[in-house]
Amino acid sequence: MNRAFSFLLIALAAVSSKGAPVRIQVETDSVVSRISPRFIGFGYETSAVAQPGFFSARNAVMIQLYRNLSPHGLIRIGGIISDHTEYAPNGALAARTQTGVTVINKASLEDLGQFARAIGWQVMWGLNLGTGSKEMAVEEAQAVDAALGNGLQSFQIGNEVEALRRFAGSYEDYHSNYAACKAAIRSVLPGAPFSGPDVIGNLRWISNFVSAESKDMKLLTHHYYRGGAGNPKSTLDLLLQHDAGFDRRLGKLREICQEPDLSFRINEVNSYSGGGKAGVSDTFGSALWCLDYMFALASYGCDGVNMETDINQLGFISYYSPIVHDASGHCNVRPEYYGMLAFAVAGKGEMLKIDMEKPGLNLSAYAARSVRGELWVAVINKDFARDADVEVTLPKGYSTAAAMRLAAPSMISTNQVTLGGAGVSAAGIWTPGPLEKAAVTGNTARISIPRASAALLQLR
C-alpha cells in the first residue's frame, strides 16, 4: 500500500471516530442529592475474617488502600458465607466455601476491630439465618459488638433472604424468624442496631420489611449484579451499556424510603455474580463501569455502595475484586479500584443537575460540588470506537477548568491503569501529577476525551 495513502486512511479514521461535540451545562442552583460521607465501601464474605492476619492493624498496604478512598467508609461482612458460619471463641479458623462451614473466633474479630479503628471505617455485620439458630446468633453478635465497639454500624440477619431454602419463599416465615432473632439479641444488647432486609431484588419483601421495621432500622439494603458470570451474554459490552431496568429499581427504592425517612444502600454489588468473568470483570472497562455506577447511585440519593472484593463463596479471589492479595497476604489493586479512586476525588458534597447533548456516544457525565464550593464534572467515555470532544459551559463564578484523566492502554487492559498520570504503588500509595489545563474560550471549556477513558474536570 502507498505510504501516503496509508496515512490518509489513518487520518480519515481519526476524523470518523468523532462526531458532533458533547455539550454539558451544569445547573448549579439545582441540587439532585447529597453524597453520604461514608458512600464508599467494600463487601466481603465472612470467610475473609477467617483468614489469619488478613484484617489487621499491621496490614499497612491494605490500610493505605482504604485511606486513599475515604476517612469514613463502610465495610460489609456477610454474603452467602455468613449463612454457613459458626463462631467458636477459641476455635481454629477455617475459611471454607458455601458447601462447608466457615469458623471465626474471638481473635479474628479483635483483628477486624483493630483494622476498622486504624482506618476509621465502620462495619456492617451479617449473622447466620440460613443454617444457624438464634442462640448462635446471640453469641456471635455479642462477640462482634465487643470487638468492634463504636465501629459497629449495624447487624444484618441473613443474606439474600428471599432465596433462603428454610423459608421456601414465605416472607411471613422469614420475618417471624428475623423478629425472634432480633429480640434475642436485644435481650443481651439492648442498643444493637439493625439493617435489612438484604435482598437480591424482591420489592414486595422490601416493602413489607420497611412497613414492619422502618422505625428500627439503620439502612435498607439491596444487592446488584449486571448478570451472572456463567452467562455467555455477560460481556464487557453489556456491562458498559446503560441498565435502564436498574434505574427503575433505584427510583422505586427511593420512593419506598421517602415517607419513613430512610436511606438505602447497595451493600453487595459488582459486575457479574459468581466471582466475575475473566477478561471482563478484571479489565479497565470495569473501572469505567464502576465510576459510572457509583455516580448513578449517588444521583438517586443512595447512602453508598459496598463493592465485593477478595475471596468469594466459591473459594477463590473474584475476578472483579478491586483489591487482591497473594499467598503471603500482600495487597495489590485491579483496575476497578481506580474507578473507586476517581469517585473518591470527585464524588463529594452534593450532586447537581446537568443538561447534556451526546450525539450517539456511550458516554455519561455527572457534576458534584464539595462543601468548599469546588465543582467537579466527571465525564466517562464508555464508547469502544469514538472519541469525544467535550464542551462544558462554565457556570457563573467559574472561569477555569483542569482535568484529571482515568486511562489505560485499552478497554481490555488488566494493568497499566493510571489516574492523574499515576498508578498505585506497591506500598498502596497514589500520588497524582498536576492537573491538565483545559482550553477555555469565553465561558466554554473544551477538552478531548478518548474512547475508553474518563476525565474529572475541576471547575474554578
Side-chain angles (χ1 to χ4, degrees), residues 62 92 99 135 141 206 212 271 301 407 410 422 440 453:
M62 192 160 159
T99 61
E135 291 77 17
I206 290 172
S271 54
S410 74
V440 175
S453 74

Side-chain angles (χ1 to χ4, degrees), residues 92-113:
L93 294 176
R96 298 193 174 106
T97 70
Q98 63 190 27
T99 61
V101 177
T102 287
V103 180
I104 58 174
N105 60 27
K106 181 180 178 181
S108 66
L109 291 178
E110 289 174 345
D111 280 347
L112 174 63

Side-chain angles (χ1 to χ4, degrees), residues 250-269:
L250 291 173
K252 191 66 178 177
L253 291 172
R254 182 172 58 187
E255 179 184 326
I256 290 171
C257 288
Q258 189 169 5
E259 186 176 337
D261 194 25
L262 282 173
S263 295
F264 70 93
R265 189 175 182 97
I266 309 302
N267 73 324
E268 180 178 322
V269 56

Side-chain angles (χ1 to χ4, degrees), residues 154-457:
S154 64
F155 289 113
Q156 290 190 298
I157 303 174
N159 172 77
E160 297 185 347
V161 292
E162 74 267 53
L164 290 177
R165 292 182 180 180
R166 68 184 294 184
F167 305 127
S170 167
Y171 171 80
E172 292 71 24
D173 193 10
Y174 150 70
H175 187 252
S176 66
N177 277 269
Y178 172 91
C181 188
K182 183 179 75 169
I185 293 168
R186 283 271 175 76
S187 70
V188 295
L189 295 172
F194 291 87
S195 293
D198 206 61
V199 296
I200 304 169
N202 191 312
L203 284 174
R204 182 177 69 84
W205 283 46
I206 290 172
S207 296
N208 288 344
F209 189 84
V210 169
S211 295
E213 301 289 339
S214 63
K215 294 180 181 179
D216 191 22
M217 56 190 290
K218 298 271 283 186
L219 289 171
L220 186 157
T221 54
H222 192 287
H223 297 181
Y224 175 79
Y225 293 92
R226 189 66 172 93
N231 190 334
K233 295 181 180 179
S234 296
T235 62
L236 186 55
D237 182 65
L238 176 66
L239 182 65
L240 294 172
Q241 294 300 319
H242 185 71
D243 187 353
F246 195 60
D247 278 352
R248 292 189 290 272
R249 174 58 55 93
L250 291 173
K252 191 66 178 177
L253 291 172
R254 182 172 58 187
E255 179 184 326
I256 290 171
C257 288
Q258 189 169 5
E259 186 176 337
D261 194 25
L262 282 173
S263 295
F264 70 93
R265 189 175 182 97
I266 309 302
N267 73 324
E268 180 178 322
V269 56
N270 221 298
S271 54
Y272 292 116
S273 61
K277 199 165 190 174
V280 175
S281 303
D282 55 354
T283 67
F284 178 63
S286 73
L288 299 179
W289 166 78
C290 179
L291 178 58
D292 184 33
Y293 181 80
M294 293 177 77
F295 268 114
L297 287 182
S299 69
Y300 277 89
C302 180
D303 178 78
V305 60
N306 293 89
M307 303 302 299
E308 281 294 289
T309 192
D310 199 64
I311 190 170
N312 58 39
Q313 76 275 17
L314 303 175
F316 65 91
I317 294 178
S318 298
Y319 294 110
Y320 52 52
S321 293
I323 299 176
V324 295
H325 68 279
D326 59 25
S328 65
H330 184 77
C331 292
N332 205 342
V333 300
R334 284 196 180 136
E336 192 170 279
Y337 179 86
Y338 289 88
M340 300 180 73
L341 191 59
F343 183 87
V345 171
K348 296 184 179 76
E350 52 194 13
M351 297 283 294
L352 303 175
K353 183 181 178 182
I354 67 165
D355 296 313
M356 178 169 62
E357 299 174 12
K358 53 167 189 175
L361 274 170
N362 184 9
L363 181 144
S364 302
Y366 306 91
R369 180 173 54 202
S370 73
V371 293
R372 296 179 299 178
E374 191 175 67
L375 183 59
W376 288 92
V377 178
V379 186
I380 308 154
N381 188 354
K382 300 173 290 179
D383 209 286
F384 281 81
R386 293 176 57 190
D387 302 338
D389 285 329
V390 177
E391 298 179 356
V392 180
T393 301
L394 297 176
K396 185 178 179 180
Y398 295 85
S399 59
T400 66
M404 176 182 291
R405 294 187 183 272
L406 175 61
S410 74
M411 190 77 88
I412 60 172
S413 296
T414 57
N415 51 35
Q416 299 182 60
V417 181
T418 58
L419 177 64
V424 176
S425 75
I429 296 170
W430 173 64
T431 307
L435 297 183
E436 169 192 337
K437 290 185 179 180
V440 175
T441 305
N443 69 338
T444 302
R446 293 179 173 83
I447 188 169
S448 178
I449 303 178
R451 69 199 81 174
S453 74
L456 309 176
L457 286 173

